[in-house]
Amino acid sequence: MSSTHAGSVASPFRQPKAVFAVAFACVVSFMGIGLVDPILPAISHELHASPSEVTLLFTSYLVVTAVAMLITNWVSSRIGAKKTLIAGLILIVVFSAAAGASPSINGIIGFRAGWGVGNALFIATSLAVIVASASGGFAGAIVLYETALGVGIAIGPLLGGTLGEISWRGPFYGVAALMAIALIATIVLVEPLPKPAHKTALSAPLRALKHRGLLTMSLTALCYNWAFFTVLGYAPFPMNLSPIKLGLVFTGWGIFVALFAVFGAPRLQASLGIAKTMYANLAAFAVVVLVIAIWTTDRAVLIPAVIISGIFIGVNNTITTQAVMTVSPVEKPVASAAYGFVRFIGGGLAPYAAGRMVLAVNIHFPFYIAVGAILLGIGILTTAHGLLTRAERIQAEQVTASPAAEPASPGPVGALIPVDANAEPARPGARVILAAVDASPAGALVTEAAGVLAADHGGVVHVVHTQEEAAAGDVAIDGESLDAARAVVRSHLDQLAARHVPAEGHILLHAADHGAAGRMVAEYANTVGASTIVVGRATHRGLPALMDDSATHELSRLARSDIMIVGPDAPGRLIAADGYDTAAQAG
C-alpha cells in the first residue's frame, strides 16, 4: 500500500517539534468554531446589542473566510506555505486581541472579519505544513491533524465559557495569547518549505466550480451549513444560560462532532457507502433540527437536541469533504478552496438571517427554515445522483482491467496504472502472490515475504502500491506524486529481480483514505485471483489505531485471499511458506 498505512514504523505522536507547533496552532484555530457561542448572550447584554447584531460575529468571520479562501492558493503558491501560515497566524493574533479590546459591537464585527482572513490563510496551509514536516508519511500527519481538529472543536466552547465567566472579552484575549505562542513556535521551529512547482491562478477556485460534481457537492454543503450555523449561532439565546453552562452544552456538542467526524464517518462510509450515508445523515439531521424548531423554548428538549446534532454535523463534515475531493477533477487545494468558499457563505449568512427572522416572525421560524435548507440540500444531491454514485464507486469498486499504456495524466480515481514487470519470466497460470507495499522498511519485508512464497510455489508477485490522498476534516492537499509512487513500486520490483522472482507492478490511484486503500487492494486481489495478500502490520496503538480506518481491517473484510501480516519488528527475517513464523501472523 502507501506509506500511510500498514507497515509504517513511525508513531504519529513521535514527530519533530515543528509538527507539534503547527498542531497546537490547529487546536487553537479549531477552537474558534465554538469559542464565541457561550459569550453571545453576554456580549448582547453588555454592549446593548440585539441578538441579530451579535450573530454578525459569525457572519463577518465566515463570509470573509469564504471570500479569502479564493485567494489562499494564489498567495501560498507565490510566497510559500510557511510564510502564508505565519501571515495567517499574525492576523489571528492581531484581530482577536483587537476584538477583545473593542468598545462596541461594530468594532468586534469588523475585527472578526480580519480574523476570518487569517483563518482562511491558516486553514489553507496548516495541513500541508504538517504533512511536509512530519515523520512517517501521511498517516502520522493526518492522525495528528485530526487529533488537533477533535481537541479544538471539543474544548473551544469550554474555554469560551470558562473565560466568559470572568468577562466576555476573555475568550478573545485567550485566543490571541495562545496563537501568539503558536506563532513564535512556528517561526522558530518550522523550516521553510519549497514553493509549489507552478503558481495557482487567482481565478482557479471559481473556474473549478464549473465542474458539475464539485458545484453540486458545494451547494449541498451550503444548504447543510445554513442549518448547522443556524443552530450554532442562534440556539444559545433561547437557552438562557450562563457562559460556563453554555460552554458545557457546546462542549458536549463539540465532543460528538469530533468523535463522529474522526471515528464514526469512516465506518459508516465503509458499511453504507457515500450515497446512503449522506442521504441518511442529512435526513436524520433534519429531524433533529425540526425537534429544535418545535421545542425552541423548552430547554429540557432544546439542550439535548443541540448536543445530539453534533453527531450528524461531524459525519457530514467528513463524508461531504470526501465526496467533494473524490469527484473533483482539479488539484485538491483548488477544490478545497472552491468548496470552502461556497459552504462558508451559507454558514456565514445563516446566523444573521436567523436573528432577522426572529424579529420578523418568531423564535421558531429560523429553525424551520433550517430544516427546509437541509431538505433542499438533499434535493440538490438527487439531481446529481449519478455523480454521487460515481464517488462511491471510486472508493470501493473493483479494479477490473489494466489500461494498455500509462496515461499521461494521473487518470481517474480508482484507476490502475501498470508500472513494469521485472525480467524474470512467469510460467503460465502461475499462482499470484500480492505484495501491498510502501516506501518504509516494513514494505521491503513485505516484498521479501511475498518473494519467498512465490519461489516456494512457482508463483508470480504482483507488487501493488496505493497512491493515497492527504485529506483531513474539511481540508485536502495533493497527495503522493505519481513519479514517487512509480519509484516505490520499481524499487520493490528490483528487490524481487535480485532474488530471481517473477513480478509485475501496479499503482492504484487516489485512495481517499486508509480504509479506501484497503478496499481497493482487496478488490484488485479478487480480480486477479491472488491466493495470498502480504501486508505490513500496523504499529499504531491506542487512539491512533482507532483514528486510522485500518486498511488491514478492510482487507480482511473484503478479500477472498489468504492474508499474511508481516511484523515490522522483525526486519530481515524470511517467512516460511506456510505463513507461520515469529516474524508474521496469518490474517
Side-chain angles (χ1 to χ4, degrees), residues 257-270:
V257 172
L259 289 176
F260 280 84
V262 176
F263 305 133
R267 283 155 179 78
L268 284 171
Q269 179 183 331

Side-chain angles (χ1 to χ4, degrees), residues 288-360:
V288 172
V289 178
L290 180 61
V291 169
I292 293 173
I294 296 171
W295 287 282
T296 308
T297 56
D298 187 341
R299 287 194 301 188
V301 178
L302 175 64
I303 291 173
V306 168
I307 293 173
I308 290 171
S309 73
I311 294 173
F312 310 106
I313 289 168
V315 170
N316 203 79
N317 283 349
T318 297
I319 296 295
T320 305
T321 302
Q322 289 286 4
V324 167
M325 298 310 157
T326 303
V327 302
S328 176
V330 300
E331 295 173 331
K332 294 299 179 285
V334 173
S336 182
Y339 166 64
F341 165 67
V342 176
R343 72 184 183 86
F344 279 134
I345 289 292
L349 296 179
Y352 178 70
R356 304 306 299 177
M357 284 183 239
V358 169
L359 293 176

